[in-house]
Amino acid sequence: MFPSVIPDCDPTISPRLYHICMAPVSLAVLVGLSLLVKRKHLHRSCWNGVPGLLSPANFLEEEGNRGLVAAVFGILFSSLCVLVLDRDPLPFITHSSQSNREYWKILALLYYPAFYYPLIACATVRHRLGYLVGCLLSWCHCVVHVWQKVDCPQSPKIYRYYSTLSYVPIILCLVLLSLWYPALLIRSFTEQEETLDKEVTGRGYYKKYLKAVLSRRPRKGSSAKIEESLLSRVRTYLCSYIYTPEEGFRIPLKLVLSITTAVIAVYQVALLLLVAVVPTIQIVRAGMTKDIVVLLVQFGLVPSESPAVPGDMEKELNTVKYYLWALEVCYICSLVLCCLLTCAMLLRTLVMHRNNLKALYQGAVLDVFYKAHILRPSRQAIVCWMSFAAFQTAFACLGLLIQQVIFFICSVGFTFLFVIPLQNGTNTYLFKIIQNMWPFWLTLVVAVIVQSLAAHYQFLEQHPLRKELTNRRALYIVTYLLFPINVLLGVLAGMWRMVISGLYNSVHFCQLDISLLNRSVETFDPGYHTYYHYLKIEVSQSHPMMKAFCLLLLQPARPEGPPELRASNVEEGIQLMQPQKTPPSRTRFKQSRARWWLAYTLLNNPSLTACRKTALSDPTANGTPLSPPKP
Amino acid sequence: MFPSVIPDCDPTISPRLYHICMAPVSLAVLVGLSLLVKRKHLHRSCWNGVPGLLSPANFLEEEGNRGLVAAVFGILFSSLCVLVLDRDPLPFITHSSQSNREYWKILALLYYPAFYYPLIACATVRHRLGYLVGCLLSWCHCVVHVWQKVDCPQSPKIYRYYSTLSYVPIILCLVLLSLWYPALLIRSFTEQEETLDKEVTGRGYYKKYLKAVLSRRPRKGSSAKIEESLLSRVRTYLCSYIYTPEEGFRIPLKLVLSITTAVIAVYQVALLLLVAVVPTIQIVRAGMTKDIVVLLVQFGLVPSESPAVPGDMEKELNTVKYYLWALEVCYICSLVLCCLLTCAMLLRTLVMHRNNLKALYQGAVLDVFYKAHILRPSRQAIVCWMSFAAFQTAFACLGLLIQQVIFFICSVGFTFLFVIPLQNGTNTYLFKIIQNMWPFWLTLVVAVIVQSLAAHYQFLEQHPLRKELTNRRALYIVTYLLFPINVLLGVLAGMWRMVISGLYNSVHFCQLDISLLNRSVETFDPGYHTYYHYLKIEVSQSHPMMKAFCLLLLQPARPEGPPELRASNVEEGIQLMQPQKTPPSRTRFKQSRARWWLAYTLLNNPSLTACRKTALSDPTANGTPLSPPKP
């Protein structure tokens, strides 16, 4: 049971070597891809193309590669977990001194996102070369990580297998990436460009959303709702905790990211909590000697029948070991419960996010917020939007920690005050107190029952349609006479208030869509504040209906599009810009009218302007609709 | 400093003698007053008068003697506090055994309300004899209590003066009563019966309320509200915490009671917390010897320059005494802070109650509750109404306890981690940690500032009327690169969330008008649940407008009323029941029309029926309006 000294293990590819090789490669890939993007646009206009820096992911557009982006964020977060506890946070510098370590950690916080940047950027280029480079890079990373961990599965840090286990999410995410990129590459060869483009740019989703919204019928009859039984209501309630994908609606990318990293956070924190405590308890249990037992008996922590003599303490030693085992069981049980609860709450939060987003898309602001608000970007909203996923992750970590502390204390209390006394018949303090206090509890129960019965049969006049107060004099007398007993009931109710608010807040700590404060001050809660502003940006900037409208507006600007697209355009009633086949005078009139309409629409919906930018800067676009029309 | 043994003290009038004498007197007074009430009504109809039991107070009617009722409830609650800690809870039985004490306590819970019943009932009889008896009784109680405490100011329980100090609220309330009853008696002789009756039955208040509502003009201009400065807003916010009486509106009696008993509860709990801890700390400080100091130095709790030798520890002894003094100061400071905070919150709760009641009187249910509700009595509502004042009292006790625990821990932490290290230069662990971590804090601050500035100047297009997101690619890149740092910021935000929700909930624990849970589940909080149901009863049963209307309806039924009342009746446009001076045929027609109107009103407002009951049972009342009118 005792830990043998784990020898320092040097993997064939040391982390230092790995980073020294891969960091320049990553940089080269980034530069190469930037040039590739430039080159693609160079033939149109020399320097006015898309700027060189690659976007990691278009968070506000609906894209195809959601799993890929989530995997890279998972790798990033796991690296953060590893580096926070590491002695050499920056792999280039080994054996850093205590004083410099802080600086290296800060530098590492910026280094790792840059290091993994090419993994995410290769997909956003939407070019075969990008997919190929992504393939090679992800395979390379994956092989190196797996090789390192096969070489050196044990390390002396915290627990022998902690390092390996904490790398599991990174390796899994890398495996996902090294399967995703080949799939993208193969699809870019086999499938038609148009289908691919449609799926990648999310145009398909917006159309699906439109169809789902337009075809929706109010299915839930109000009469059916009233009649449903308790069982079905419970089932509905439980189902509201389970997220099931819905036709025509997709959770935004940022939320997918936040939930992914939150789940990885739960794994990492639970792993740390497990390996930091359980092996220690096991070591203590194995190394328990009779001398320590004598001390514990003398302190009164362990019951003993005979006076404390170190010679014959076999029974007491077993008791102590049994207690330690119970402690370990409590710890593991509460940890499992916490993880399950946190994951359930994260699932629940997805359901809540979907409901909130759907309500806000439909303009029902008061269904989501307590007060009416205008949903438009602001400085604070952008800052909150940027940090939303990170906050969700951090809150999941902290929530798990808080829950573990509370549940562990509760389970230890329950075990040592109820279960063990019931088994052994020792330490029955609590039972004695309960036994002494039974008349008190009985009085309180009787008082509650008497008040309820009196209220029902004496003080309430029952009519079929109305209920009315009666026997007021008796009501006043009972109120006065039962005042002292009600104060004692109030003390119990107050304790329940304390317990339920504490439990509710700790269980829902990881949910950002719920404020832990009262509704009048709910935005003072930093979690809810972030969520509230996040929703503002998300709804104002990536409303699917608006996106679908913008896409339809932009389609005729590309005459190289296939004819069926133009046909569907006419079908859906968007005739703002007719193809130039009508005679010139009529065309001129129609064009100016279309411009007027467009200008009017844009004035009333300023958030659409941003979506039109690329179309406006594009020289093939149809005129300058925002300039005043010619008379 | 050390407590000398306090001799057992036998007062001239022992509690046993006092209760043995006063209990039969109280019973006799009750019976006598009941007979008096009977006799008053006997000459009208033999046994159909008001039933014999006296009402303690008409909680749902507006009455004059609010201070008197509050004083009796204060006495009741203080007696409860005394009896919970007492070894002889029931004064008749001295030296009760441990096993029986529980039963006596339960019996005492019912005995004390009955014992003080006549003190409250003498005023509700509204008869000179009642006032006289009340005078005598309150004087008697007051004199006995003062005499007992003058005889025996010290007792061995908890602290020598604890018993005396805990009786202070009882004596003050009794003094109030023994001044109130003579005043009532004198007024019953000097003032006119009509004026007295008007004030006592609250008719005056209802008229005032009506006038205030009808004469109210919307004074607050919306333009003035926008322009007000920060200073005036802060002033308005602070004023919202201070309750100032308002013309034409009175807080209902139950709320006055609950606040009175809650304030007494704060006094009693604070007193107990003070005398249970502070004298003990003082004793420990005075009895500190060098031997104990050596132990403390060896445990590392007290810093020492020299090795621990019991001979020369003068300096360390002084340090330990200084630490104990600091502990005492922290305890007293946090207790004072808690009391002030709790009282401020109780004042604030009064303001909230008034706002909520005014909103509900005007029908603005959604201003008070999160969802729309029908305000009418139910079984649960009656039970909650009965226990409201008791719950408020108990919550004030518990809230003070919780606050004291939290603030004491915080102030001790602050003192021993900040103040003492700054004074002495020892135990500077925290400063060292902060010093080591400054690059980390600096990074976080810089990250926040960079994100804010970038959001303001780079990602937000500033137009005079609209704000729009721009530079999306850069926004996505910054979001990706700052993800790890934002996770660390999120951990800090999560801690702040924990602290702020804990502090908010502990500070607002004594407020029943605030739910400590999220708005979607707010009625699961037992405090808010009680308040919510209490409001239902209060608004549906004692709406001042309804009461004023009922009183106007009932007035013409008494032809012996003075003529100016009838004149004001006509003035206010209530012509439902004309005095019978018109010719009989016209009277008959008018009467039947009036009955129709009345029946219609009552059908649509069933809660009015209860108020009409006495009028209906009264044989001099004008007809039977609920029977179908003759054709």
Side-chain angles (χ1 to χ4, degrees):
Chain A
M1 288 302 287
F2 289 93
S4 53
V5 177
I6 295 154
D8 272 350
C9 171
D10 289 317
T12 321
I13 307 167
S14 73
R16 188 157 177 259
L17 184 69
Y18 163 57
H19 278 270
I20 283 175
C21 294
M22 287 303 285
V25 171
S26 292
L27 190 65
V29 166
L30 266 185
V31 173
L33 286 177
S34 298
L35 286 179
L36 176 77
V37 174
K38 273 266 180 247
R39 198 205 56 72
K40 245 178 101 182
H41 291 264
L42 271 184
H43 73 280
R44 287 196 186 157
S45 68
C46 187
W47 284 108
N48 294 331
V50 177
L53 271 173
L54 299 164
S55 165
N58 297 328
F59 294 109
L60 285 171
E61 327 288 323
E62 201 45 57
E63 298 212 354
N65 301 319
R66 298 149 68 93
L68 193 143
V69 178
V72 175
F73 269 85
I75 294 171
L76 211 56
F77 177 71
S78 293
S79 309
L80 175 70
C81 290
V82 171
L83 88 85
V84 165
L85 294 170
D86 220 342
R87 261 181 305 169
D88 293 321
L90 210 58
F92 303 110
I93 292 105
T94 48
H95 309 297
S96 57
S97 68
Q98 175 78 41
S99 57
N100 287 335
R101 198 177 295 156
E102 284 294 317
Y103 300 103
W104 300 135
K105 274 193 182 169
I106 291 164
L107 215 62
L109 286 178
L110 292 166
Y111 166 71
Y112 276 103
F115 181 64
Y116 291 115
Y117 202 113
L119 279 183
I120 201 171
C122 285
T124 42
V125 176
R126 282 185 216 141
H127 193 277
R128 277 169 200 164
L129 194 61
Y131 297 149
L132 184 68
V133 173
C135 258
L136 295 176
L137 265 183
S138 55
W139 286 343
C140 197
H141 280 294
C142 190
V143 166
V144 170
H145 274 288
V146 171
W147 196 348
Q148 277 180 352
K149 288 303 145 193
V150 168
D151 255 13
C152 288
Q154 298 190 9
S155 77
K157 201 174 69 176
I158 301 174
Y159 173 65
R160 50 175 66 196
Y161 293 113
Y162 171 67
S163 171
T164 309
L165 287 172
S166 72
Y167 267 97
V168 164
I170 296 186
I171 291 170
L172 284 181
C173 288
L174 282 173
V175 167
L176 181 72
L177 284 184
S178 48
L179 294 175
W180 198 287
Y181 271 116
L184 276 180
L185 193 64
I186 292 163
R187 274 178 68 188
S188 73
F189 281 108
T190 53
E191 284 184 37
Q192 278 211 344
E193 201 182 335
E194 187 57 39
T195 341
L196 208 67
D197 194 41
K198 197 172 168 183
E199 187 166 323
V200 166
T201 57
R203 212 177 299 157
Y205 163 61
Y206 296 133
K207 281 208 174 163
K208 265 186 205 159
Y209 178 84
L210 257 187
K211 271 181 198 158
V213 166
L214 293 173
S215 71
R216 193 170 292 156
R217 295 277 170 279
R219 261 173 292 172
K220 39 177 181 181
S222 59
S223 65
K225 204 163 192 181
I226 288 167
E227 283 168 26
E228 67 188 0
S229 67
L230 185 73
L231 197 75
S232 73
R233 253 192 258 169
V234 168
R235 202 186 302 133
T236 318
Y237 183 73
L238 285 181
C239 281
S240 79
Y241 273 83
I242 294 162
Y243 178 78
T244 44
E246 215 171 69
E247 187 71 29
F249 187 86
R250 263 198 235 165
I251 287 285
L253 178 57
K254 263 250 151 169
L255 286 178
V256 174
L257 285 188
S258 68
I259 299 297
T260 313
T261 47
V263 169
I264 293 174
V266 169
Y267 171 80
Q268 295 279 10
V269 172
L271 178 68
L272 194 62
L273 284 175
L274 196 72
V275 301
V277 172
V278 172
T280 316
I281 298 181
Q282 283 175 345
I283 289 164
V284 168
R285 203 176 59 189
M288 187 56 68
T289 61
K290 288 182 184 174
D291 297 332
I292 305 169
V293 173
V294 171
L295 257 181
L296 290 175
V297 169
Q298 280 169 348
F299 273 115
L301 292 172
V302 177
S304 168
E305 290 159 13
S306 56
V309 179
D312 189 35
M313 294 297 249
E314 200 55 50
K315 201 180 156 202
E316 282 74 16
L317 183 63
N318 285 335
T319 314
V320 171
K321 284 191 175 178
Y322 177 65
Y323 281 6
L324 282 172
W325 177 80
L327 214 63
E328 196 184 321
V329 169
C330 284
Y331 191 83
I332 294 172
C333 285
S334 61
L335 192 58
V336 169
L337 182 65
C338 291
C339 290
L340 289 179
L341 259 180
T342 306
C343 289
M345 287 303 137
L346 288 175
L347 263 188
R348 164 81 173 163
T349 210
L350 267 185
V351 180
M352 296 292 288
H353 288 327
R354 181 169 62 192
N355 292 348
N356 288 346
L357 278 174
K358 277 165 95 174
L360 287 180
Y361 285 159
Q362 288 162 15
V365 177
L366 280 179
D367 283 8
V368 180
F369 303 129
Y370 178 54
K371 285 172 188 162
H373 293 284
I374 300 166
L375 302 175
R376 70 171 158 212
S378 64
R379 184 185 57 74
Q380 230 178 357
I382 294 175
V383 172
C384 288
W385 181 85
M386 283 200 273
S387 51
F388 177 75
F391 273 38
Q392 172 71 74
T393 316
F395 281 35
C397 292
L398 270 182
L400 190 69
L401 269 178
I402 296 167
Q403 279 178 39
Q404 170 65 8
V405 170
I406 292 175
F407 288 161
F408 179 58
I409 291 171
C410 291
S411 64
V412 166
F414 180 73
T415 310
F416 284 86
L417 292 177
F418 273 96
V419 180
I420 289 180
L422 272 182
Q423 273 186 338
N424 300 356
T426 51
N427 282 332
T428 51
Y429 310 120
L430 196 75
F431 290 112
K432 274 181 196 158
I433 292 173
I434 292 175
Q435 204 178 358
N436 279 340
M437 284 183 83
W438 74 262
F440 173 72
W441 300 116
L442 189 68
T443 313
L444 294 190
V445 170
V446 167
V448 170
I449 293 173
V450 163
Q451 287 187 65
S452 286
L453 288 180
H456 191 71
Y457 292 106
Q458 286 299 314
F459 306 143
L460 204 62
E461 213 169 348
Q462 303 276 353
H463 290 278
L465 280 174
R466 55 168 209 242
K467 286 177 173 180
E468 203 40 65
L469 208 61
T470 181
N471 282 332
R472 292 188 174 212
R473 189 183 301 261
L475 173 65
Y476 299 155
I477 292 172
V478 170
T479 305
Y480 172 76
L481 287 180
L482 290 184
F483 175 74
I485 293 179
N486 275 335
V487 171
L488 298 180
L489 274 178
V491 172
L492 288 187
M495 284 176 182
W496 175 235
R497 186 183 211 203
M498 204 162 66
V499 168
I500 202 176
S501 70
L503 264 187
Y504 182 89
N505 285 358
S506 63
V507 167
H508 291 80
F509 191 87
C510 62
Q511 276 190 274
L512 273 83
D513 54 306
I514 283 178
S515 174
L516 300 188
L517 299 182
N518 183 260
R519 62 182 139 99
S520 54
V521 287
E522 58 185 11
T523 45
F524 285 95
D525 179 344
Y528 188 74
H529 175 84
T530 308
Y531 180 65
Y532 159 69
H533 282 298
Y534 165 76
L535 278 186
K536 269 186 171 179
I537 291 277
E538 197 67 54
V539 171
S540 71
Q541 297 301 318
S542 70
H543 196 304
M545 196 82 89
M546 181 192 77
K547 293 273 179 179
F549 181 65
C550 291
L551 283 172
L552 286 173
L553 267 182
L554 290 175
Q555 269 173 14
R558 292 192 282 176
E560 72 267 23
E564 75 268 17
L565 259 182
R566 256 171 292 165
S568 75
N569 190 3
V570 175
E571 268 172 31
E572 300 201 34
I574 305 295
Q575 297 165 328
L576 286 182
M577 294 179 194
Q578 289 281 344
Q580 302 183 339
K581 277 172 192 168
T582 41
S585 71
R586 213 178 139 68
T587 312
R588 187 73 183 273
F589 166 71
K590 280 213 166 186
Q591 212 176 26
S592 66
R593 207 181 55 180
R595 280 177 189 168
W596 258 118
W597 282 350
L598 193 56
Y600 185 77
T601 312
L602 287 172
L603 271 177
N604 283 303
N605 300 283
S607 56
L608 294 181
T609 334
C611 303
R612 296 197 72 250
K613 219 157 229 184
T614 46
L616 288 175
S617 65
D618 200 343
T620 58
N622 217 344
T624 50
L626 264 181
S627 64
K630 291 142 206 163
Chain B
M1 289 302 288
F2 288 93
S4 51
V5 177
I6 296 155
D8 272 350
C9 172
D10 290 316
T12 322
I13 305 166
S14 73
R16 187 156 176 259
L17 184 68
Y18 163 56
H19 279 270
I20 284 175
C21 293
M22 287 305 283
V25 171
S26 292
L27 190 67
V29 166
L30 265 185
V31 172
L33 285 178
S34 299
L35 286 179
L36 175 76
V37 173
K38 273 267 180 246
R39 197 205 54 73
K40 242 177 103 183
H41 292 263
L42 272 183
H43 73 278
R44 287 192 186 160
S45 67
C46 188
W47 284 108
N48 293 330
V50 177
L53 270 174
L54 298 165
S55 164
N58 296 328
F59 294 109
L60 286 172
E61 326 288 322
E62 201 45 56
E63 299 213 354
N65 301 320
R66 297 148 69 93
L68 193 144
V69 178
V72 175
F73 270 85
I75 295 172
L76 210 57
F77 177 71
S78 293
S79 310
L80 175 71
C81 289
V82 170
L83 90 85
V84 166
L85 294 170
D86 220 341
R87 261 182 304 171
D88 294 321
L90 211 58
F92 302 111
I93 293 107
T94 48
H95 309 296
S96 57
S97 68
Q98 175 78 40
S99 57
N100 287 337
R101 198 178 297 156
E102 284 294 319
Y103 301 102
W104 299 135
K105 276 194 182 168
I106 292 163
L107 215 62
L109 287 178
L110 293 166
Y111 165 72
Y112 276 103
F115 181 64
Y116 290 115
Y117 202 113
L119 279 184
I120 200 171
C122 284
T124 43
V125 176
R126 281 183 217 144
H127 193 277
R128 279 170 198 162
L129 193 61
Y131 297 150
L132 185 67
V133 173
C135 258
L136 295 176
L137 264 182
S138 55
W139 286 343
C140 197
H141 280 293
C142 190
V143 165
V144 170
H145 274 288
V146 171
W147 196 350
Q148 277 180 352
K149 290 302 146 194
V150 168
D151 255 13
C152 288
Q154 298 190 9
S155 78
K157 200 173 72 176
I158 302 174
Y159 173 65
R160 50 175 66 195
Y161 294 114
Y162 171 67
S163 171
T164 309
L165 287 171
S166 74
Y167 266 96
V168 164
I170 297 187
I171 292 172
L172 285 181
C173 289
L174 282 173
V175 167
L176 181 72
L177 285 183
S178 47
L179 295 175
W180 199 287
Y181 270 115
L184 277 180
L185 193 63
I186 292 165
R187 274 178 67 189
S188 74
F189 281 107
T190 54
E191 284 184 36
Q192 278 211 345
E193 202 182 334
E194 186 58 38
T195 339
L196 210 66
D197 194 39
K198 198 172 170 181
E199 188 166 322
V200 166
T201 57
R203 213 178 299 158
Y205 163 60
Y206 296 133
K207 281 209 174 162
K208 266 188 205 157
Y209 178 83
L210 256 188
K211 270 182 200 159
V213 166
L214 293 174
S215 71
R216 193 169 294 156
R217 295 277 170 280
R219 260 173 295 170
K220 38 176 180 180
S222 57
S223 65
K225 204 163 189 178
I226 289 168
E227 283 168 27
E228 66 188 2
S229 67
L230 184 74
L231 196 76
S232 73
R233 252 192 259 169
V234 168
R235 202 186 301 132
T236 318
Y237 183 74
L238 285 180
C239 281
S240 78
Y241 273 83
I242 294 163
Y243 177 78
T244 43
E246 215 170 70
E247 187 70 28
F249 186 87
R250 263 198 236 164
I251 288 287
L253 180 56
K254 263 252 152 168
L255 286 179
V256 174
L257 284 186
S258 67
I259 299 297
T260 314
T261 47
V263 169
I264 293 175
V266 169
Y267 172 79
Q268 296 279 9
V269 173
L271 178 69
L272 194 61
L273 283 175
L274 196 73
V275 301
V277 172
V278 172
T280 316
I281 297 182
Q282 283 175 344
I283 290 165
V284 169
R285 203 176 60 188
M288 186 58 68
T289 62
K290 288 183 183 173
D291 298 332
I292 305 169
V293 172
V294 171
L295 257 182
L296 291 174
V297 169
Q298 279 169 350
F299 273 115
L301 292 172
V302 177
S304 169
E305 290 158 13
S306 55
V309 179
D312 188 34
M313 294 297 251
E314 200 56 48
K315 199 179 155 202
E316 281 75 17
L317 183 64
N318 284 336
T319 313
V320 170
K321 283 190 176 177
Y322 176 65
Y323 282 5
L324 283 172
W325 176 80
L327 212 65
E328 197 184 320
V329 169
C330 284
Y331 190 83
I332 293 173
C333 283
S334 62
L335 192 59
V336 169
L337 182 65
C338 291
C339 289
L340 290 179
L341 259 180
T342 307
C343 288
M345 288 304 137
L346 288 176
L347 262 189
R348 164 81 172 163
T349 210
L350 267 185
V351 180
M352 296 292 288
H353 289 326
R354 181 170 61 192
N355 291 347
N356 288 345
L357 279 173
K358 277 164 96 174
L360 287 179
Y361 284 159
Q362 288 163 14
V365 176
L366 280 179
D367 283 7
V368 180
F369 303 130
Y370 178 55
K371 286 172 186 162
H373 293 282
I374 301 167
L375 301 175
R376 69 170 160 214
S378 64
R379 185 186 56 75
Q380 231 177 356
I382 293 173
V383 172
C384 288
W385 182 86
M386 283 200 274
S387 51
F388 176 76
F391 273 39
Q392 172 71 74
T393 316
F395 281 35
C397 291
L398 270 182
L400 191 69
L401 269 179
I402 295 168
Q403 279 178 39
Q404 170 64 8
V405 169
I406 292 175
F407 289 161
F408 179 58
I409 291 171
C410 290
S411 64
V412 166
F414 180 73
T415 310
F416 283 86
L417 292 177
F418 272 96
V419 179
I420 289 181
L422 272 182
Q423 275 188 336
N424 302 354
T426 51
N427 282 330
T428 52
Y429 309 120
L430 196 76
F431 290 111
K432 275 180 196 155
I433 292 173
I434 291 174
Q435 204 178 358
N436 279 340
M437 283 182 85
W438 74 262
F440 173 72
W441 300 116
L442 189 67
T443 314
L444 294 190
V445 170
V446 167
V448 170
I449 292 173
V450 163
Q451 287 187 66
S452 287
L453 289 180
H456 192 70
Y457 291 107
Q458 286 298 315
F459 307 143
L460 204 61
E461 213 167 351
Q462 303 277 353
H463 290 278
L465 279 173
R466 53 170 209 241
K467 286 177 173 179
E468 202 39 67
L469 209 63
T470 182
N471 281 333
R472 291 190 175 213
R473 188 182 301 263
L475 173 66
Y476 299 155
I477 292 172
V478 171
T479 306
Y480 170 77
L481 288 180
L482 290 185
F483 175 74
I485 292 178
N486 276 334
V487 171
L488 298 180
L489 275 178
V491 172
L492 287 188
M495 284 176 182
W496 175 237
R497 186 183 211 202
M498 203 163 66
V499 168
I500 202 176
S501 70
L503 264 188
Y504 182 88
N505 286 358
S506 64
V507 167
H508 292 81
F509 191 88
C510 62
Q511 274 190 276
L512 274 82
D513 54 305
I514 283 179
S515 173
L516 300 188
L517 299 182
N518 184 259
R519 61 181 139 99
S520 54
V521 288
E522 58 185 11
T523 46
F524 284 95
D525 178 343
Y528 188 74
H529 175 84
T530 308
Y531 180 65
Y532 160 69
H533 282 299
Y534 164 77
L535 277 186
K536 269 186 172 180
I537 291 277
E538 197 65 52
V539 171
S540 71
Q541 298 301 316
S542 70
H543 196 305
M545 196 85 87
M546 180 192 80
K547 293 273 180 180
F549 181 65
C550 290
L551 283 171
L552 286 173
L553 268 181
L554 290 175
Q555 268 174 15
R558 292 190 283 174
E560 72 268 21
E564 75 266 19
L565 257 181
R566 255 172 291 166
S568 75
N569 193 1
V570 173
E571 268 171 32
E572 299 201 32
I574 305 296
Q575 297 166 329
L576 285 183
M577 293 177 194
Q578 289 282 344
Q580 301 184 342
K581 277 173 192 169
T582 40
S585 70
R586 211 177 141 70
T587 312
R588 186 75 181 274
F589 165 69
K590 282 210 162 184
Q591 212 176 29
S592 66
R593 206 179 57 180
R595 279 176 189 168
W596 256 118
W597 284 348
L598 194 57
Y600 184 76
T601 310
L602 287 171
L603 272 176
N604 283 303
N605 300 283
S607 56
L608 295 181
T609 335
C611 302
R612 296 197 72 253
K613 218 155 231 184
T614 46
L616 287 175
S617 64
D618 198 345
T620 59
N622 217 343
T624 50
L626 262 180
S627 63
K630 290 145 206 161

